[in-house]
Amino acid sequence: MGSWLARSRNIQYLLKRNICFFDKTHSLLHANSSYKTLPPYETPHGFCASVLSFRRSESTMAGKQAQADDDDGNQSIEFPGGRVGFTTEMDFISEVTDKRVPCYRLLDDDGFLISGTTFEQPDRETAARMYESMLSLQIMDTIFYEAQRQGRLSFYLTSTGEEAINIATAAALSPDDIILPQYREPGILLWRGFSMEEFASQCFGTKDGRGKGRQMPVHYGSNSHNFFTVSSPIATQLPQAAGVAYSLKMDGKEACAVAFTGDGGTSEGDFHAGMNFAAVMEAPVLFICRNNGWAISTPISQQFRSDGVVVKGQAYGIRSIRVDGNDALAVYSAIRAAREMVVREQKPVLVEALTYRVGHHSTSDDSTKYRSVSEIEQWRSTGNPMTRFRNWVLANGWWTDEHETELRGTIRKQVLKAIQVAEKTHKPPLEDLFSDVYDKTPSNLQEQEKSLRETINKYKQDFPADVPL
Amino acid sequence: MLGILRQRVAAKFNYALNFEQGIGSVALRAFSSSANKMTVRDAINSALDEEMSADPKVFMMGEEVGEYQGAYKITKGLLDKYGPQRVVDTPITEAGFTGIGVGAAYHGLRPVVEFMTFNFSMQAIDHIINSAAKSNYMSSGQISVPIVFRGPNGAASGVGAQHSQCFAAWFGSCPGLKVLVPYSAEDARGLLKAAIRDPDPVVFLENELLYGESFPVSAETLDSSFCVPIGKAKIEREGKDVTIVAYSKMVGFSLQAADILAKEGINAEVINLRSIRPLDRSTINTSVRKTNRIVTVEEGFPQHGVGAEICATVVEDSFEYLDAPVERIAGADVPTPYAANIERMAFPQVEDIVRAAKRACYRSR
């Protein structure tokens, strides 16, 4: 354990040096105190007779307080797992709470700063880049979605309504942090420099780019951007993130693993396994849950009965926070703080970002079948993450409408061109059917490839002419 | 050094369990890992020890592998030697620790994940198949998964349906995985070392009843750089009349059957597969072309089993050489029962192999 403590001291020193966007007026290095200044976690109120007895059962939940209360041995009992205070009042912890865990936000619905808070804000350059990236993401989504509708792409899914989560998170992390996405986080790749051409290559399955046409669209992956390839089964990335984090910890790296999931993903067994295990192993994982209200057609009320996802953190012994996912500033601030805690303290943190999935689940879905158009339109207009952040950067004098109009045009052209090029680019050659199954292609696959080539040569008319051999 | 011997197994299941290849029936010696003999348990333990010593990226994970010294004492002494960061006792969540192992492998560590038995790997099968097996391909070579999944597979004795299934055919059908099935101590050592060094995900199917069995080992086997090539079967006994192909514990049964057949003038060739995927079709077919008759033996369920694949490959590649239909011996097509008498009926016995070989030899009459 000694070597880990020494490393965490080094991390603190190195963090001080390496953070570029650090606002020196607000010290986040004393994160222990800063998380206490955030609204404290409200314990659930039970339907019990006396406040006093409730307080005692409250104290049984926070282990450290129990030890302080019970100085004489009569008040507590030693069980496996630790000392626990007891009560003669039978109080059930209520399953419902009068007051839900409050949500951290900095901008109001119109994008004006809510006064009275200190927070770490992005500098001018970062903020402008953030807004520009949100714009790029939105335009990319719109055009690719249209392309699918026109039959030029087989599949696509958008991040509409979740631009703030995508970009603000990416901006708040270090490029060394390893991302294990679900599938609605392409904005992170965008921020890290993945080009429109590369997005298009993957979606169209061309020979260019790094995808080799292996996966369906939006299943991006790039080692050089520290973004692990998207894997369709839900929530499998959660325990895997704990494994990546364990590896980072063994290497002594000042970086963390960042795992995303939606609200639906928290129902998977892997959510439980990943969270529990990360806590037990003290793995530096930042779990980010995009609670956007819908898992395809399953609304929150059918997904879980808890107060969202943030309350589950405490159940695993994981520090957690709920943040307004449509407030780019709050997301940036919260993720900065959370990431620092994870890396410095080498333990997991959970961030629940509340938002709304404005788009359909994917191009295979028509969400008007299970929710009202008015609900969708309301979220598209009120509290829209793009509008709110835009008003903030405009108010700071860091953005202008003219710049936006010009930029929209430029990005649109860029995306359209990328699609046009990708559509005409050749698909991967035949050898990519058989490579990468194993590290080295085994003899049976080499034989199969040889046999297939012979068959194609012999029966050319049975095979498409435009597939490179 | 003997480890835990299952006396009740020896009594109930097969009286000739201690039979060793090429040597007459010998009682187990008190010091089984003398220079020329080693139990499978010690073989696996020593392989793990040496690989962990050679490469700091190798680490072990599983239930009871640390403090308890391993549910079957396979990982005995490793916690003391390498510490809790490299021998990790996990909570009871196969999905959890398999997922963690896969994630750690994604980032360059080399985990060895133990399943208490492969029956419990079913709770983690998504991570094994959809993540470990397919990631290198889906990521177009960006994410390799140098992970080893190991543990006992197949029937033990008197443990019922959920502790007795053989998963060789299940994992063997999945591209992206390598599937190994050691029989002897030499197999266990060489194949496990090769598996840990391999950049691809490997499923290493051991057998609980073989753990306590002793096998002769050469000096070469005991060397720390010893490796057995993956994908190559071993001819345990040469013959010319009929080929018997088996893996894991059934190799021992097949060798006993071969001895019985020899007394009746049938000279059987026994092939120890060692590797289910990749399957050594070349060795199998060469042997069939020599003997013209083949019997496959496995503990697993018959439908879509390993024997079915062997039959297909022989029919595809050596059809003209067959003088008799392929004989397939497999476990009964039922969830394994508990009671000793019907459990015995659910798995192949030496006599079944003998009868099948005879059928293959006299079928043409």
Side-chain angles (χ1 to χ4, degrees):
Chain A
M1 280 309 286
S3 60
W4 294 122
L5 289 170
R7 279 205 181 99
S8 60
R9 278 198 286 275
N10 285 337
I11 288 167
Q12 197 165 353
Y13 169 65
L14 283 161
L15 276 176
K16 274 187 194 165
R17 284 196 340 194
N18 288 340
I19 292 175
C20 310
F21 311 121
F22 187 60
D23 179 355
K24 291 186 172 50
T25 62
H26 182 83
S27 168
L28 269 182
L29 285 178
H30 307 289
N32 273 334
S33 52
S34 73
Y35 86 83
K36 280 191 192 136
T37 66
L38 297 174
Y41 173 68
E42 301 273 335
T43 52
H45 293 251
F47 302 118
C48 55
S50 68
V51 173
L52 202 60
S53 63
F54 176 72
R55 284 243 175 77
R56 260 194 233 128
S57 60
E58 206 179 320
S59 75
T60 71
M61 286 167 16
K64 286 203 171 91
Q65 291 162 3
Q67 283 165 18
D69 284 340
D70 306 319
D71 281 321
D72 52 351
N74 292 337
Q75 291 293 319
S76 64
I77 11 173
E78 185 81 47
F79 269 120
R83 183 164 288 280
V84 125
F86 67 83
T87 170
T88 54
E89 298 282 340
M90 180 166 65
D91 290 332
F92 284 76
I93 302 173
S94 175
E95 78 279 15
V96 294
T97 59
D98 303 340
K99 207 163 162 215
R100 296 185 60 184
V101 170
C103 184
Y104 175 61
R105 72 153 35 176
L106 294 168
L107 297 174
D108 67 16
D109 277 347
D110 298 313
F112 294 108
L113 210 50
I114 303 167
S115 61
T117 51
T118 48
F119 62 97
E120 184 184 352
Q121 72 172 44
D123 62 21
R124 177 188 186 133
E125 196 192 319
T126 309
R129 190 177 161 214
M130 277 168 68
Y131 184 67
E132 184 178 325
S133 301
M134 287 165 79
L135 212 52
S136 293
L137 177 58
Q138 189 189 56
I139 294 172
M140 176 178 97
D141 272 351
T142 311
I143 298 180
F144 275 93
Y145 189 88
E146 279 170 27
Q148 195 278 343
R149 281 286 173 256
Q150 292 164 10
R152 296 152 79 185
L153 254 191
S154 66
F155 176 85
Y156 193 74
L157 56 75
T158 65
S159 309
T160 315
E162 299 181 50
E163 295 89 353
I165 294 180
N166 265 254
I167 302 299
T169 301
L173 295 171
S174 145
D176 293 330
D177 294 329
I178 310 234
I179 309 290
L180 287 95
Q182 182 66 73
Y183 43 61
R184 225 181 279 281
E185 300 90 14
I188 308 210
L189 266 179
L190 195 92
W191 176 269
R192 290 184 172 187
F194 209 62
S195 66
M196 286 303 166
E197 288 73 28
E198 286 180 284
F199 281 116
S201 277
Q202 199 282 328
C203 285
F204 283 88
T206 68
K207 68 169 174 53
D208 293 335
R210 53 196 88 208
K212 294 188 194 170
R214 294 280 170 69
Q215 292 232 64
M216 51 192 286
V218 310
H219 287 62
Y220 314 112
S222 173
N223 272 7
S224 50
H225 297 94
N226 283 330
F227 188 95
F228 276 12
T229 308
V230 173
S231 168
S232 307
I234 301 289
T236 54
Q237 68 278 8
L238 300 176
Q240 287 166 10
V244 171
Y246 192 71
S247 176
L248 286 169
K249 189 167 171 159
M250 284 184 87
D251 283 346
K253 285 237 172 78
E254 291 106 52
C256 62
V258 183
F260 285 85
T261 181
D263 39 284
T266 66
S267 293
E268 282 279 0
D270 272 342
F271 171 78
H272 165 77
M275 293 271 284
N276 189 42
F277 228 128
V280 168
M281 289 170 82
E282 295 176 11
V285 190
L286 176 53
F287 291 104
I288 302 180
C289 175
R290 293 177 294 96
N291 184 341
N292 63 18
W294 294 91
I296 310 190
S297 68
T298 308
I300 291 293
S301 57
Q302 289 174 26
Q303 195 68 250
F304 39 66
R305 289 297 163 88
S306 54
D307 171 16
V309 175
V310 66
V311 294
K312 300 184 193 208
Q314 193 179 45
Y316 293 103
I318 292 180
R319 198 175 303 160
S320 44
I321 187 173
R322 165 175 281 161
V323 67
D324 178 353
N326 288 350
D327 177 348
L329 220 52
V331 173
Y332 180 84
S333 171
I335 298 288
R336 290 282 287 175
R339 190 243 175 217
E340 209 158 323
M341 283 177 211
V342 168
V343 173
R344 188 185 58 250
E345 296 179 50
Q346 292 285 297
K347 48 205 263 204
V349 169
L350 168 68
V351 175
E352 178 187 23
L354 297 180
T355 179
Y356 188 83
R357 194 196 76 208
V358 172
H360 304 305
H361 165 71
S362 72
T363 49
S364 310
D365 174 46
D366 173 11
S367 60
T368 58
K369 288 202 159 52
Y370 49 80
R371 55 183 186 175
S372 67
V373 176
S374 59
E375 177 187 311
I376 304 171
E377 284 317 309
Q378 196 219 322
W379 278 97
R380 199 194 295 276
S381 47
T382 321
N384 179 312
M386 307 252 326
T387 324
R388 290 164 74 189
F389 193 60
R390 179 161 159 274
N391 285 345
W392 184 74
V393 286
L394 276 174
N396 279 355
W398 295 346
W399 197 260
T400 63
D401 285 335
E402 294 78 30
H403 185 52
E404 174 151 346
T405 315
E406 188 193 320
L407 202 57
R408 278 184 182 269
T410 314
I411 297 173
R412 196 179 154 75
K413 282 203 194 77
Q414 201 188 349
V415 176
L416 285 169
K417 174 123 189 288
I419 291 184
Q420 280 158 13
V421 169
E423 262 183 316
K424 299 198 182 71
T425 308
H426 274 152
K427 302 294 183 219
L430 186 65
E431 72 188 359
D432 282 340
L433 175 60
F434 298 102
S435 61
D436 302 321
V437 181
Y438 297 97
D439 186 60
K440 294 187 178 41
T441 310
S443 57
N444 65 317
L445 287 182
Q446 286 172 16
E447 281 163 32
Q448 286 179 35
E449 185 184 339
K450 182 157 162 280
S451 161
L452 182 55
R453 279 183 200 279
E454 283 164 11
T455 310
I456 293 175
N457 276 330
K458 200 162 166 196
Y459 300 103
K460 279 197 167 60
Q461 70 279 8
D462 291 343
F463 293 90
D466 62 349
V467 175
L469 290 176
Chain B
M1 294 306 282
L2 267 180
I4 297 169
L5 283 180
R6 305 261 172 161
Q7 299 298 338
R8 60 189 178 94
V9 167
K12 267 193 233 169
F13 201 55
N14 192 309
Y15 56 86
L17 201 61
N18 299 333
F19 201 90
E20 287 159 347
Q21 52 166 11
I23 299 177
S25 47
V26 178
L28 282 173
R29 310 176 95 154
F31 40 102
S32 61
S33 63
S34 58
N36 55 3
K37 274 232 292 252
M38 194 180 226
T39 60
V40 172
R41 175 177 289 110
D42 291 337
I44 299 173
N45 183 283
S46 61
L48 287 168
D49 193 350
E50 286 161 24
E51 292 305 304
M52 285 178 78
S53 169
D55 184 352
K57 289 194 174 317
V58 177
F59 75 104
M60 283 230 47
M61 209 163 34
E63 293 154 4
E64 311 301 327
V65 297
E67 293 286 349
Y68 195 75
Q69 312 295 318
Y72 303 97
K73 304 300 182 231
I74 302 293
T75 49
K76 189 170 176 185
L78 295 179
L79 175 65
D80 286 336
K81 192 165 172 187
Y82 295 102
Q85 243 128 49
R86 292 186 68 197
V87 181
V88 180
D89 271 325
T90 66
I92 306 179
T93 162
E94 279 72 15
F97 63 73
T98 307
I100 290 190
V102 170
Y106 280 177
H107 197 253
L109 288 183
R110 304 188 84 97
V112 178
V113 173
E114 174 176 309
F115 291 114
M116 205 178 279
T117 87
F118 264 92
N119 295 275
F120 309 147
S121 73
M122 294 293 102
Q123 293 178 288
I125 194 81
D126 181 86
H127 283 293
I128 301 173
I129 307 296
N130 274 332
S131 289
K134 298 180 185 173
S135 277
N136 197 49
Y137 190 74
M138 292 194 313
S139 72
S140 56
Q142 293 187 85
I143 301 178
S144 79
V145 195
I147 193 170
V148 175
F149 303 105
R150 53 158 291 273
N153 173 62
S157 178
V159 287
Q162 294 172 332
H163 293 75
S164 306
Q165 188 168 341
C166 173
F167 290 91
W170 276 56
F171 290 115
S173 70
C174 191
L177 289 180
K178 290 182 175 162
V179 183
L180 303 178
V181 280
Y183 161 64
S184 62
E186 177 191 312
D187 289 354
R189 253 183 78 78
L191 288 175
L192 185 55
K193 279 154 127 4
I196 293 173
R197 297 178 197 181
D198 199 293
D200 297 311
V202 180
V203 173
F204 193 80
L205 303 172
E206 302 158 3
N207 184 291
E208 189 196 321
L209 298 176
L210 284 176
Y211 284 152
E213 248 190 72
S214 254
F215 294 86
V217 283
S218 64
E220 189 203 344
T221 308
L222 293 170
D223 186 74
S224 64
S225 63
F226 176 67
C227 251
V228 160
I230 290 179
K232 214 73 204 80
K234 180 181 180 194
I235 298 182
E236 295 283 349
R237 180 198 172 110
E238 288 202 15
K240 56 179 185 49
D241 294 330
V242 61
T243 301
I244 304 177
V245 185
Y247 62 91
S248 190
K249 189 152 112 270
M250 292 293 118
V251 175
F253 282 27
S254 301
L255 288 167
Q256 290 173 52
D259 282 339
I260 296 172
L261 289 164
K263 294 198 185 81
E264 306 196 26
I266 298 175
N267 192 350
E269 176 151 293
V270 177
I271 297 181
N272 169 7
L273 276 177
R274 283 182 162 179
S275 173
I276 299 289
R277 179 180 265 273
L279 190 63
D280 190 353
R281 297 166 203 277
S282 159
T283 300
I284 297 168
N285 278 288
T286 306
S287 177
V288 170
R289 290 177 181 210
K290 182 170 72 168
T291 65
N292 311 123
R293 297 159 202 277
I294 179 168
V295 176
T296 72
V297 190
E298 67 195 294
E299 276 189 323
F301 301 131
Q303 188 168 340
H304 308 304
V306 175
E309 179 62 28
I310 295 174
C311 176
T313 195
V314 163
V315 164
E316 281 165 5
D317 291 344
S318 308
F319 182 66
E320 309 84 17
Y321 293 84
L322 283 171
D323 286 347
V326 175
E327 289 283 341
R328 228 181 0 158
I329 309 272
D333 205 11
V334 299
T336 309
Y338 167 74
N341 60 329
I342 46 175
E343 185 190 19
R344 191 185 184 283
M345 309 291 281
F347 290 107
Q349 305 301 329
V350 176
E351 298 73 28
D352 295 313
I353 305 174
V354 170
R355 280 196 297 273
K358 282 185 179 165
R359 278 198 302 273
C361 288
Y362 301 131
R363 184 71 69 107
S364 52
R365 284 193 188 173

